Amino acid sequence: MTKLVSIIVPVHNERENVTVMAKAIKRTFADLPYRYNLLFVDDGSNDLTLHEVKKLALQDDHIRYISFSRNFGHQAAIKAGLDKADGDCVITMDGDMQHPPSLIPALLEKWEEGYDVVYTIRKEDKKLPFFKRVTSNAFYKLINWLSDIKIEKGTADFRLMNRNVVDVLRGLAEFEPFFRGLVKWAGFKQIPVEYEPNERRSGASKYTSKKMIRFALQGITSFSIRPLYAATYIGFTFAALSTLYIPYALYSYYFGYTISGWSSLIVTVVFFGGLQLMILGIIGIYLGKLFMQNKHRPVYIVKESNIHEPSAIHIDEF
């Protein structure tokens, strides 16, 4: 039987792009020896995105949709798509047309060569604002320094994954999944493919500075507890530095350069302040692990879908 390719496209307020995306995918697969289905995941849009997707689904049997009860975020939308995708391989891509559908044949070619994951790396776009390029580069350097996984600069959420990889990712109990890291962490046989992003066809980027910072923190904390260790090291450092002040305090006291009670007070405050920070860092390591392990809230809530499921709420099993 002809292999089935599932394509997951998270969308949020992309009314003017979904039809263009659907037509581009259809043209791409017209000359490919594969069956396909296109799954739009509406991440709580407040425009007519869902209305447009429903119209497309009535006109084309290849198109499916999932609509969230509110905005749960891009990574939750990818998670929902992976949970429902039934293809022999799954491709995730953004709905703003910056991930070129014309690259899909190249991803499938690498898949047929035996690779389980074919991920894309965005070539540096000189048209991007200087601030965004600098912060993007800083993010990848920081996450590679703080965590045990290594993510190449420019890695995007435009990737192809074999069925076995999708099954592994579906089974992970991650409340805040960070798929750029999870796919790397999962292993398997992977290969990158470079691409030049298209211009956004319409609309505006949904990644504000606040969301970018949150996304960066989510990625770092998902794969590292080193920030907590840093708090511990800072505590040790301040405690050690406070001991260096003791000789000065004794010298001042001996030669009468001291204000009564000031030296002993400062030494005590600095020492115990550092000691408290050290202890809080140690406690934070354990609390952080317990906190993430014992949160059982759903990753997303499905309001409606044309994929028939027994339950409208997805809850990971811990």
Side-chain angles (χ1 to χ4, degrees), residues 237-253:
T237 301
F238 275 100
L241 289 175
S242 70
T243 62
L244 299 178
Y245 188 79
I246 294 175
Y248 171 75
L250 293 175
Y251 176 85
S252 299
Y253 178 77

Side-chain angles (χ1 to χ4, degrees), residues 17-18 46 79-80 99 105 108 128-129 166 177 187 195 204 217 231 240 244-245 256 258 265 292 303 305:
N17 287 329
V18 290
N46 50 29
K79 170 67 173 171
H99 292 164
L108 291 169
L128 285 176
V166 174
Y195 78 99
L217 290 175
L244 299 178
Y245 188 79
T258 178
L265 179 62
M292 297 308 296
K303 181 178 68 174
S305 173

Side-chain angles (χ1 to χ4, degrees), residues 30-235:
D31 299 323
L32 294 176
Y34 300 98
R35 296 178 296 130
Y36 81 94
N37 53 48
L38 174 57
L39 173 56
F40 286 106
V41 184
D42 177 42
D43 187 20
S45 298
N46 50 29
D47 63 357
L48 294 177
T49 296
L50 181 60
H51 175 72
E52 294 297 323
V53 171
K54 285 182 175 179
K55 284 172 55 178
L56 291 170
L58 290 175
Q59 300 167 5
D60 191 341
D61 292 336
H62 293 100
I63 296 177
R64 304 175 178 182
Y65 67 86
I66 297 171
S67 178
F68 287 171
S69 61
R70 65 169 178 83
N71 179 249
F72 281 90
H74 184 265
Q75 300 296 292
I78 293 178
K79 170 67 173 171
L82 293 177
D83 288 339
K84 305 301 187 294
D86 56 357
D88 296 296
C89 72
V90 175
I91 297 173
T92 60
M93 57 193 304
D94 290 347
D96 56 8
M97 295 301 293
Q98 288 189 303
H99 292 164
S102 58
L103 191 65
I104 289 177
L107 303 184
L108 291 169
E109 182 180 346
K110 292 297 182 183
W111 177 51
E112 292 290 2
E113 290 177 8
Y115 290 97
D116 297 300
V117 176
V118 187
Y119 61 95
T120 63
I121 297 179
R122 183 186 64 252
K123 293 181 180 179
E124 187 170 3
D125 187 358
K126 301 297 183 181
K127 297 179 183 179
L128 285 176
F130 175 76
F131 176 76
K132 191 166 186 178
R133 280 186 281 139
V134 169
T135 53
S136 177
N137 292 338
F139 164 70
Y140 287 105
K141 288 181 180 179
L142 187 60
I143 194 171
N144 288 334
W145 178 61
L146 287 174
S147 67
D148 294 327
I149 60 170
K150 302 302 176 186
I151 304 176
E152 291 93 331
K153 182 178 69 173
T155 301
D157 282 316
F158 183 19
R159 67 179 68 85
L160 178 150
M161 294 170 285
N162 192 43
R163 182 78 246 170
N164 59 341
V165 180
V166 174
D167 290 340
V168 168
L169 296 177
R170 288 175 62 174
L172 297 179
E174 296 274 338
F175 175 69
E176 291 186 333
F178 177 69
F179 285 102
R180 295 184 197 183
L182 285 174
V183 172
K184 273 289 185 179
W185 171 86
F188 295 98
K189 190 176 180 181
Q190 305 193 16
I191 189 172
V193 173
E194 285 191 331
Y195 78 99
E196 292 186 2
N198 292 333
E199 293 287 337
R200 168 177 271 275
R201 184 181 178 276
S202 63
S205 173
K206 309 306 183 295
Y207 271 96
T208 62
S209 297
K210 181 179 178 181
K211 287 186 176 181
M212 288 174 64
I213 293 172
R214 182 177 178 181
F215 183 69
L217 290 175
Q218 179 181 333
I220 291 168
T221 56
S222 293
F223 290 91
S224 176
I225 57 173
R226 289 185 184 178
L228 293 172
Y229 281 108
T232 304
Y233 298 147
I234 291 171

